[in-house]
Amino acid sequence: MIKNIKILWKIVFVGKAVLHQKLFIKKHFIPQIRPFFKNADQTLTETDYNKITKYYGLIVPSILGELLCLLRGKKMSFVERKYGTYQSSLTGLVDDFFDVHDFTLEEVKKIVSFQKRPITSTEQLSTFLHRESIDFYKNRKGYIESLDRVLQVQEDSRQQLIQGVLDKDDLIDLTIRKGGESFLYFIRLYLSEITPEEDDFFYLLGGVTQFSNDIFDLYEDLEENVDTLLTTSSSVEEVRTLYYELIIKVFQKASKTNFSSIETFLEFYSIGVFNRCVVCLDQYEQLQQQSSLNTFQPKSYTREQLICDMEKPANLMKSLTMDIKKEINFSSISSK
């Protein structure tokens, strides 16, 4: 009974956080960005608008942002919500600079340092979002270094796409770097000072989060010919083993931080990220078991077979039940 109440509280917490962010976007954010889309050229589309307002600008501040505020023990301020939304929304635009518009690393650096006059609608919107929050953000220790590393790993990721399949170790390294550097950049909005132990924890957590995204976005990566650990693997169990090993390392590093709410933070994170990816891996493993050679062949499966719908009651219940059973548990793992 107590466990069920705890799960219900978590659902209410997330629901309120998402609703709060939706209201902020509707009242404060959309009026700021709408003019850029009304005057848009071919570089800004309805897809970009939806990605900004329904994904980057919504999920990252309302889930990760609120959890970081829970971790530090202080509610999110209006200014943090505003600039967190701006910086999260900027993520997709910067990705497109590399992946869609094919800008060089130096060109992107000139845009984010305001050395290049914005011409296209995408450049104008990204410059607006970045300029609005730069004064607040640059007071965070390590901000410039984090921004440079985020841009560099974006370039490295693009080179990987051009060159083709990397070996397993290189893919792991790129995955962890991409997620880790982006994570460290974002959390500086909410945490002005980070200890070396916290830095290690957040870096790996970001890396595992990127790994999680690769697991969940398998079909999309296949469509875009992006190589990940899962698209290049013939064994789901091999990917699952690595994923669990990394989660254990995250929990071990978490135990070395001084946050009093770290266990609650990780329980939320498990429901929102880790648990749903385990459900997704279960689905992929069933596909592998149906193969006569018992090998995972992601390119041969349909969209319906690869998309893991977490809105399905069965999948949602699996994720929540996994938390109740403590299959991925901070207390048991961090004590080992």
Side-chain angles (χ1 to χ4, degrees):
M1 182 66 178
I2 295 177
K3 293 177 180 178
N4 291 336
I5 292 174
K6 195 173 182 180
I7 289 295
L8 180 61
W9 173 75
K10 291 175 182 176
I11 294 173
V12 171
F13 177 92
V14 172
K16 288 177 63 177
V18 172
L19 178 60
H20 195 169
Q21 183 64 15
K22 281 185 176 180
L23 293 174
F24 172 84
I25 288 174
K26 182 178 180 180
K27 183 177 181 180
H28 299 285
F29 187 52
I30 288 179
Q32 293 286 323
I33 67 172
R34 186 181 289 122
F36 295 95
F37 285 89
K38 283 186 175 181
N39 300 318
D41 49 31
Q42 297 298 315
T43 64
L44 277 180
T45 66
E46 184 179 354
T47 299
D48 294 314
Y49 182 84
N50 289 331
K51 281 198 301 184
I52 289 173
T53 59
K54 298 179 181 180
Y55 181 64
Y56 289 111
L58 174 63
I59 301 301
V60 180
S62 65
I63 303 300
L64 178 56
E66 290 287 2
L67 285 181
L68 289 169
C69 291
L70 174 71
L71 191 62
R72 73 182 185 184
K74 183 180 178 182
K75 289 186 177 181
M76 187 185 301
S77 69
F78 178 84
V79 171
E80 289 172 334
R81 185 176 299 279
K82 175 183 176 180
Y83 295 148
T85 304
Y86 282 9
Q87 288 293 321
S88 300
S89 301
L90 186 62
T91 300
L93 297 174
V94 173
D95 284 349
D96 286 348
F97 285 154
F98 286 97
D99 302 332
V100 177
H101 306 297
D102 203 29
F103 289 168
T104 67
L105 176 59
E106 292 306 314
E107 286 175 323
V108 177
K109 285 185 175 181
K110 285 182 179 180
I111 292 174
V112 300
S113 62
F114 313 115
Q115 296 178 34
K116 180 183 184 297
R117 183 175 70 86
I119 299 174
T120 67
S121 296
T122 299
E123 292 174 19
Q124 291 168 0
L125 177 57
S126 65
T127 298
F128 166 76
L129 295 173
H130 194 45
R131 191 183 295 279
E132 281 287 301
S133 51
I134 189 75
D135 287 338
F136 179 89
Y137 229 91
K138 70 183 182 183
N139 293 324
R140 292 323 204 216
K141 183 179 179 181
Y143 158 75
I144 296 298
E145 294 83 355
S146 280
L147 178 57
D148 285 342
R149 288 194 294 267
V150 168
L151 296 179
Q152 182 61 58
V153 77
Q154 286 280 23
E155 173 64 14
D156 293 344
S157 181
R158 175 170 61 180
Q159 292 302 318
Q160 179 263 317
L161 181 61
I162 294 173
Q163 296 168 11
V165 180
L166 300 175
D167 63 33
K168 178 182 175 182
D169 290 339
D170 287 336
L171 275 174
I172 294 172
D173 177 70
L174 184 60
T175 301
I176 299 300
R177 283 179 55 216
K178 187 174 183 180
E181 298 296 357
S182 297
F183 214 86
L184 287 179
Y185 175 79
F186 182 75
I187 65 170
R188 295 186 191 284
L189 179 65
Y190 302 98
L191 303 174
S192 56
E193 295 289 336
I194 305 172
T195 67
E197 292 78 14
E198 292 163 358
D199 189 282
D200 287 345
F201 162 65
F202 285 122
Y203 180 83
L204 184 57
L205 180 62
V208 178
T209 302
Q210 180 62 48
F211 192 174
S212 303
N213 290 340
D214 292 346
I215 291 173
F216 219 77
D217 295 338
L218 173 59
Y219 177 78
E220 182 179 325
D221 288 335
L222 288 169
E223 286 290 287
E224 297 177 0
N225 293 316
V226 176
D227 294 324
T228 68
L229 289 163
L230 198 55
T231 65
T232 59
S233 178
S234 60
S235 170
V236 177
E237 186 59 33
E238 181 181 80
V239 175
R240 184 196 299 272
T241 298
L242 175 60
Y243 189 57
Y244 271 55
E245 288 174 352
L246 289 171
I247 292 174
I248 291 172
K249 289 181 181 178
V250 166
F251 287 165
Q252 290 171 338
K253 288 182 180 296
S255 67
K256 294 179 172 60
T257 66
N258 296 319
F259 297 115
S260 59
S261 302
I262 190 65
E263 186 170 356
T264 301
F265 173 86
L266 288 173
E267 287 176 357
F268 269 112
Y269 216 86
S270 291
I271 291 177
V273 180
F274 301 149
N275 292 2
R276 74 172 192 158
C277 285
V278 173
V279 172
C280 197
L281 287 171
D282 287 344
Q283 180 172 313
Y284 297 154
E285 193 158 30
Q286 289 178 2
L287 292 174
Q288 179 180 328
Q289 290 171 352
Q290 293 169 7
S291 166
S292 59
L293 299 176
N294 193 28
T295 57
F296 188 56
Q297 302 169 345
K299 293 182 180 180
S300 67
Y301 304 128
T302 66
R303 180 182 185 278
E304 289 70 26
Q305 288 176 305
L306 292 177
I307 296 295
C308 183
D309 185 0
M310 288 307 298
E311 293 185 3
K312 285 184 177 180
N315 286 341
L316 181 59
M317 185 56 64
K318 284 180 184 178
S319 178
L320 295 178
T321 304
M322 197 179 303
D323 181 73
I324 293 171
K325 289 181 178 179
K326 299 298 181 184
E327 292 182 24
I328 300 177
N329 172 270
F330 172 74
S331 298
S332 62
I333 291 176
S334 61
S335 62
K336 291 182 180 179

